[in-house]
């Protein structure tokens, strides 16, 4: 016997949850921006240093 599902009932109904994205933590956003800026600055410094000193290791790491 084949079971049929009511068309209004989704098979994934038990897996659903709300997606609420709030802007409630400005300090975390500020810290994330700081981390991105610091990472980008270090990348530029490593590439420039690798280029200046002929270091393949710094170029590859940058």
């Amino acid at each position: 016997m084949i079971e049929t599902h009511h068309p209004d009932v989704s098979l994934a109904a038990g897996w659903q949850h709300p997606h609420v994205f709030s802007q409630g933590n400005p300090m975390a956003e500020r810290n994330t921006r700081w981390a991105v800026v610091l990472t980008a600055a270090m990348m530029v410094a490593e590439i420039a240093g690798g280029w200046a000193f002929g270091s393949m290791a710094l170029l590859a790491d940058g």
Side-chain angles (χ1 to χ4, degrees):
M1 181 172 170
I2 299 174
E3 291 184 36
T4 58
H5 295 284
H6 192 275
D8 293 336
V9 178
S10 171
L11 293 175
W15 293 92
Q16 294 178 353
H17 58 274
H19 291 108
V20 179
F21 301 103
S22 69
Q23 303 295 325
N25 196 348
M27 184 60 115
E29 188 174 337
R30 180 175 164 248
N31 288 340
T32 301
R33 283 193 183 127
W34 174 243
V36 169
V37 168
L38 182 60
T39 301
M42 289 302 298
M43 183 182 72
V44 169
E46 286 179 354
I47 292 171
W51 186 278
F53 294 105
S55 172
M56 289 299 292
L58 282 175
L59 285 172
D61 193 37

